[in-house]
Structure formats: structure tokens, C-alpha cells
Amino acid sequence: MVDIDALLADALAQIDAAADLATLEEVRIATVGRSAPLPLALRDVGTLPPEERGEAGKNLNIARQQLEVRLAEREAELESAALADKLANDRIDVTLPGRAMPHGGLHVLTQTRREIEQIFLDMGYAIAEGPEVETEFNNFTALNIPEDHPAKADSDTLWVSDGVLLRTHTSPVQVRAMQSQEPPVAIICPGRVYRRDTQDATHSPIFHQVEGLLIDEGVTLAHLKGTLDHLTKRLFGADREIRLRSGFFPFTEPSIEVDVSWGDGWMEILGAGMVDPNVLEHVGYDSEKYTGFAFGVGIERVAMLRHGIPDIRMLYDNDVRFLAQFPA
Ligand code: DAH
């Protein structure tokens, strides 16, 4: 007969020594598994003399139960230790400073366009848009630009097909707006325009303009001047002055070039004028009854002047070191 006390003591010592759940599983197999000494002894009880069987069976069963209890206790201990360990290791310190996420922003040209839009929205204007692929009629003819005007040449205009082109300015949106509604008209038309230019510090074959148009009874040059004065003061500062010089555009009469005060001098900022009666007649407006003004301003030019950007190409390079200098 085996020494139950010695077996039990040895098995209990092994259970207590198991430092993790995997080891404990091995100890379980070695102590109460099918081929462990104690279960084997229990199986062999039937081979003992009959008078010894009862006592031996009873003691072996008690020992086995003790092992099962101790195994369960040890398992619970190791499980809660493992959980405590996991909690300690996985703990996050929510008081640590956060890691800033890099985030994008609006491009300086978009910011400038939106500012110009807001200035006119505040005055009750609506925003109108037109297609970048335009007809020759809307881009030139309806705007009183003569058939032989140099701007129409292949060297200046990107033609798509006969009578169809990439618009060279946002002025054709004037034509579309007037064709689709009766006066009064108060719109601005922001958008992309195309010219057959090579790129340098001040030129780009693709750039952006905002066209403005106000048509009603009794609109005068004084309204134009007041509107542009307001625009420049909001864009460049309340201390700015504007100066009107005589200019020429086929679609305005008179035409003016507008300068804004800049240090000791002046900077040319946009073109404008009173809408030529021929343009009004082209869209079926009564030019005896209605007058109006129009202007066109380059968004790149405004952004470059406001921020002292020396080269237009910086606006298109998308170098983050440049863009990040204009947080929205
Ligand atoms: N369309 C002109 C250009 O692209 C800009 C312009 C000038 C627009 C005078 C106007 C205007 O409406 O009245 O250069």
C-alpha cells in the first residue's frame, strides 16, 4: 500500500509551488490525472485484502478530495493574480498630455474666396456659378468683344472645339445670370479661369477670379465706387483708399482700373466699369431702363497682396510648410 500522507504532502507542495496556470495544469495531470500515483492506488484498492479495502479506499478518497479542493483554490489564486497583472500592465494614464493629431485646413485661396464671398453676401448679393467649358458666344460675343479681338487668338485662349473654349474670365457668368433672370441682379461669380500663359512668378495658365454684377434701375458709377471702397476696406483694412483710373474693357463703358493705397503708392487690384449697353441688349435687357456695374478681381492677386506672397506658384505647389502659414 502506498504512503498516502507522503503522496498527499508531495502533491500539495507541487500545487502550492505552481507559479502560473499552465504549470498548475501540468501539476493537475501529475497529481489527480488518470496515471497519477493517487488515482492509480485508488484503482488498485480492489487488490488489497478485503479487511483493508474500506479504510484504504476512504483515505485515498479524502486525499483526492483535498487535492481537488487545493487545485481549485490555487487556480482561483493564479487567475486573480493574472487579472491583477493584466490590469496593472494595460493601465493607461489618462492624465498624460495628448498627442496632437495633424490636421488639414482650408487653402489660402479658398479662404480668400470665401472672404470675398462673405463680403458680398453681407450686402445681399447671391453667388452664381457657371461652367469652365464655355461657348465663344458667352465668353466673347455677348460681352461685346469684337470678332478680331486678340484675346480670342489661339495664342491666348484654350479652345476645346469650334465655338467652345475654356473660359478666359468669369465674365460669361454675367451673361448666363442675366439670360436666366430679370433685373434686379446682384451676383458674384467665383471660379477658375484659363489662359494660354506660361507660368512665372505672376502668371499661371489656370487661376481664379470673382466676377461681380449689379443691374437695376438707377445704378451709377457712384454705387460702383462705394461698393469697391467697401470691398477693399474689408479686405485690406479700414485705412485703405481706392483710386479709379480710366481703363478699357469691351464689356464696360466707362471702364475703370482700380488701385488700392499701398504704403506711399498704389497697387492695381481689379478692373471694373458700367456694363456696356450692348451687353444688356445682347441678353434682352432694356438698356434705356436698366444700368449696372461689373467688376472682376483675381483671387490669387488679392491673396498675394494681403499676405505678401511673392510668387503665384507657391499657391499651387501644396508645400505644407507654405500652406501651414495660413491657418483658417
Ligand atoms: N474680365 C476681365 C478680365 O478677365 C476682368 C473684368 C474687368 C471684369 C472689368 C469685369 C469688368 O466685369 O467690368 O480681365
Side-chain angles (χ1 to χ4, degrees):
M1 183 55 202
V2 293
D3 181 344
I4 297 177
D5 290 339
L7 267 183
L8 184 61
D10 177 55
L12 288 171
Q14 284 188 58
I15 292 169
D16 288 343
D20 55 61
L21 289 164
T23 312
L24 186 66
E25 196 50 36
E26 283 165 20
V27 173
R28 180 194 307 282
I29 292 164
T31 54
V32 298
R34 276 199 296 147
S35 43
L38 214 124
L40 284 179
L42 204 50
R43 204 186 59 195
D44 292 342
V45 163
T47 63
L48 294 174
E51 63 281 9
E52 289 176 23
R53 288 180 198 164
E55 184 69 8
K58 190 175 127 209
N59 290 337
L60 282 166
N61 269 320
I62 289 171
R64 191 200 160 106
Q65 270 168 28
Q66 278 188 44
L67 287 182
E68 297 283 5
V69 169
R70 190 69 198 110
L71 278 164
E73 282 171 5
R74 187 67 189 143
E75 184 175 18
E77 276 168 30
L78 289 174
E79 268 172 359
S80 74
L83 179 63
D85 218 46
K86 191 168 158 58
L87 287 175
N89 288 330
D90 291 358
R91 190 211 221 89
I92 50 166
D93 183 351
V94 293
T95 66
L96 283 174
R99 229 170 281 152
M101 300 269 277
H103 56 85
L106 294 178
H107 192 280
V108 61
L109 281 179
T110 305
Q111 294 180 38
T112 308
R113 171 176 57 75
R114 289 197 182 178
E115 272 184 66
I116 296 170
E117 287 172 0
Q118 194 55 53
I119 292 167
F120 284 95
L121 288 170
D122 289 349
M123 289 192 279
Y125 283 67
I127 295 174
E129 282 180 315
E132 292 171 22
V133 176
E134 253 303 1
T135 62
E136 177 180 6
F137 179 83
N138 287 341
N139 195 85
F140 291 125
T141 315
L143 290 165
N144 202 38
I145 296 174
E147 205 54 48
D148 56 358
H149 196 279
K152 298 178 76 169
D154 284 354
S155 56
D156 286 16
T157 296
L158 290 151
W159 289 90
V160 173
S161 60
D162 201 24
V164 180
L165 45 75
L166 295 181
R167 67 180 179 192
T168 60
H169 50 181
T170 43
S171 303
V173 190
Q174 281 187 29
V175 178
R176 291 176 172 273
M178 290 190 284
Q179 280 170 340
S180 67
Q181 71 175 102
E182 289 300 311
V185 180
I187 52 160
I188 56 161
C189 325
R192 198 175 283 147
V193 301
Y194 300 82
R195 292 198 191 162
R196 196 153 179 164
D197 253 335
T198 41
Q199 201 163 44
D200 62 22
T202 53
H203 294 84
S204 163
I206 305 176
F207 60 104
H208 301 80
Q209 291 184 329
V210 177
E211 187 82 10
L213 178 72
L214 180 76
I215 308 281
D216 203 353
E217 291 180 48
V219 175
T220 70
L221 193 64
H223 296 122
L224 173 57
K225 186 174 183 187
T227 305
L228 296 178
D229 188 57
H230 178 72
L231 172 67
T232 38
K233 283 184 163 63
R234 276 192 67 177
L235 281 179
F236 298 103
D239 53 342
R240 301 293 175 155
E241 302 291 338
I242 57 167
R243 179 175 81 172
L244 310 190
R245 279 182 293 113
S246 137
F248 177 77
F249 301 102
F251 31 91
T252 45
E253 181 57 38
S255 300
I256 55 171
E257 311 259 9
V258 181
D259 300 334
V260 57
S261 60
W262 208 269
D264 297 338
W266 299 91
M267 279 288 204
E268 185 181 325
I269 166 91
L270 56 84
M274 300 305 292
V275 178
D276 194 293
N278 286 339
V279 174
L280 297 177
E281 296 296 333
H282 256 302
V283 297
Y285 281 7
D286 181 351
S287 65
E288 294 293 324
K289 187 171 176 194
Y290 297 111
T291 54
F293 66 68
F295 62 87
V297 57
I299 301 179
E300 279 81 350
R301 179 150 181 83
V302 170
M304 289 169 77
L305 285 175
R306 285 185 64 180
H307 299 293
I309 298 166
D311 191 319
I312 198 170
R313 290 168 291 199
M314 291 176 157
L315 293 167
Y316 311 123
D317 284 347
N318 286 333
D319 184 329
V320 175
R321 293 168 303 178
F322 170 79
L323 296 177
Q325 294 176 51
F326 311 98

